[in-house]
Amino acid sequence: MAEGFCQHGLSAADVFPGIGLKGGVCYFLWNREERGPCRVSTHFKDWPDSISTRPLLENGADIFIRFNEGLSILRKVIAHETGQDENLSLPEDRRFENLVSSRKPFGLETKFKGKTGQQAKDDVTVYQNGGIGYASRDMLSSGRDLIDVWKIFVGYAAPGTGNRDSYPHRIISTPFVAGPGTVSSETYLCIGPFSSKDEAESALSYLSCRLPRLLVLLRKSSQHVTRKVYSFLPSIPWSHRWTDSDLYERYGLTSEEIAFIEKIVRPMDVLDDLLDETFVDEDADA
């Protein structure tokens, strides 16, 4: 059966000099009568070309998996968590995305600015673009079940990294743990609830690892990090602090797969990165 052809360039400058499009450029040569496999070729600067013949749409996936290496890694994650490798879809109740809110988790827009000064007795702390403020609980139109629990906040947009065609990327903005009595504006998505601070910190350590952020990248198509991009991430036990080594061992990744992840995804120290990071807004770079 004849093959189609898909070429993916991680550097947009190879096609459009002077234009920065993080994620690169992907183009297809195809015959509308052909439903066979496609030769997928990825190019980036002086890296070795990656070439594989595979379907454009894998069974159970609803998007094109842009990295050939990412596909093999995703297969291992799904196989470990579900016991099968024929379908690239996690069961609904095993998806991390179920912990992630939609936009405006508490009904507050990006431009919302809470009160400053002394916090009133019934006020909640609002994490907002530029810092924190305070607001009455009566102002919150949604997310009331997430107010008085432990949770994680993560930017709805991922900040830029300077050189758009450089790797590795951080993929998401730096997440952080927030306790009961806290909410956020649209600047952040809310992840939770967690039953304790220890559980929230375990989930935070998971998001700071490279593998989960690679799985986010496989679905991420813009600077916006919506709830949907977390659907390849499995929910795992929030019982201890996760490390890259833990996850590499859990999923049986090879040295070549680990090297690929670490070439694409930047390490994240949640304390250092949070101190260095300015609060993002919805117009931040990818």
Side-chain angles (χ1 to χ4, degrees):
M1 186 175 291
E3 298 175 3
F5 176 78
C6 170
Q7 182 159 306
H8 178 216
L10 298 184
S11 174
D14 291 343
V15 182
F16 303 112
I19 302 297
L21 297 172
K22 189 169 292 182
V25 172
C26 187
Y27 71 85
F28 300 84
L29 299 177
W30 68 293
N31 181 336
R32 66 182 180 181
E33 306 301 328
E34 175 57 53
R35 295 294 183 268
C38 182
R39 184 165 65 91
V40 180
S41 176
T42 301
H43 305 271
F44 183 67
K45 296 184 176 178
D46 59 350
W47 294 6
D49 288 352
S50 173
I51 301 174
S52 177
T53 299
R54 56 186 175 92
L56 280 179
L57 191 62
E58 300 287 338
N59 186 31
D62 59 356
I63 62 166
F64 168 67
I65 308 298
R66 73 179 82 176
F67 298 109
N68 294 325
E69 299 86 349
L71 178 58
S72 69
I73 292 167
L74 177 59
R75 285 192 183 283
K76 288 187 174 182
V77 172
I78 300 296
H80 178 89
E81 299 297 337
T82 67
Q84 60 82 32
D85 60 2
E86 299 299 321
N87 189 306
L88 292 184
S89 179
L90 290 164
E92 185 66 30
D93 61 352
R94 299 291 303 280
R95 296 180 183 180
F96 188 86
E97 71 170 316
N98 291 330
L99 294 171
V100 183
S101 72
S102 57
R103 291 181 61 179
K104 291 197 290 188
F106 301 95
L108 303 177
E109 296 182 353
T110 299
K111 296 180 180 179
F112 175 85
K113 294 295 182 183
K115 298 180 293 185
T116 58
Q118 188 171 1
Q119 184 177 10
K121 180 180 178 180
D122 293 327
D123 283 352
V124 293
T125 301
V126 182
Y127 288 93
Q128 59 194 25
N129 187 21
I132 62 171
Y134 305 106
S136 168
R137 290 173 182 257
D138 294 338
M139 298 184 66
L140 308 176
S141 60
S142 59
R144 292 183 177 274
D145 59 321
L146 293 169
I147 298 174
D148 294 312
V149 296
W150 287 95
K151 51 193 156 296
I152 293 170
F153 288 127
V154 63
Y156 171 58
T161 56
N163 183 347
R164 294 170 183 257
D165 283 336
S166 66
Y167 281 88
H169 292 326
R170 190 168 44 175
I171 314 302
I172 62 174
S173 65
T174 306
F176 59 94
V177 169
T182 59
V183 300
S184 74
S185 70
E186 188 179 8
T187 297
Y188 299 97
L189 299 185
C190 181
I191 300 174
F194 298 100
S195 61
S196 66
K197 182 179 181 181
D198 286 344
E199 277 200 358
E201 289 180 342
S202 175
L204 180 70
S205 70
Y206 177 64
L207 286 177
S208 73
C209 292
R210 284 166 149 142
L211 174 58
R213 288 182 285 130
L214 176 77
L215 298 178
V216 167
L217 179 61
L218 295 184
R219 292 204 66 103
K220 186 171 178 280
S221 60
S222 74
Q223 75 266 27
H224 293 133
V225 190
T226 63
R227 177 184 183 181
K228 191 68 175 175
V229 305
Y230 293 92
S231 64
F232 282 155
L233 272 69
S235 281
I236 59 178
W238 311 127
S239 55
H240 65 279
R241 180 182 176 88
W242 291 95
T243 66
D244 286 321
S245 295
D246 291 335
L247 295 177
Y248 296 158
E249 181 178 357
R250 179 181 178 90
Y251 298 113
L253 301 190
T254 66
S255 58
E256 291 80 10
E257 289 166 335
I258 292 170
F260 171 76
I261 293 171
E262 297 186 351
K263 185 165 62 173
I264 294 294
V265 183
R266 192 179 113 185
M268 177 183 284
D269 185 307
V270 290
L271 278 181
D272 290 347
D273 283 353
L274 188 58
L275 290 173
D276 291 341
E277 183 175 295
T278 57
F279 288 86
V280 302
D281 60 34
E282 63 178 0
D283 296 320
D285 290 336

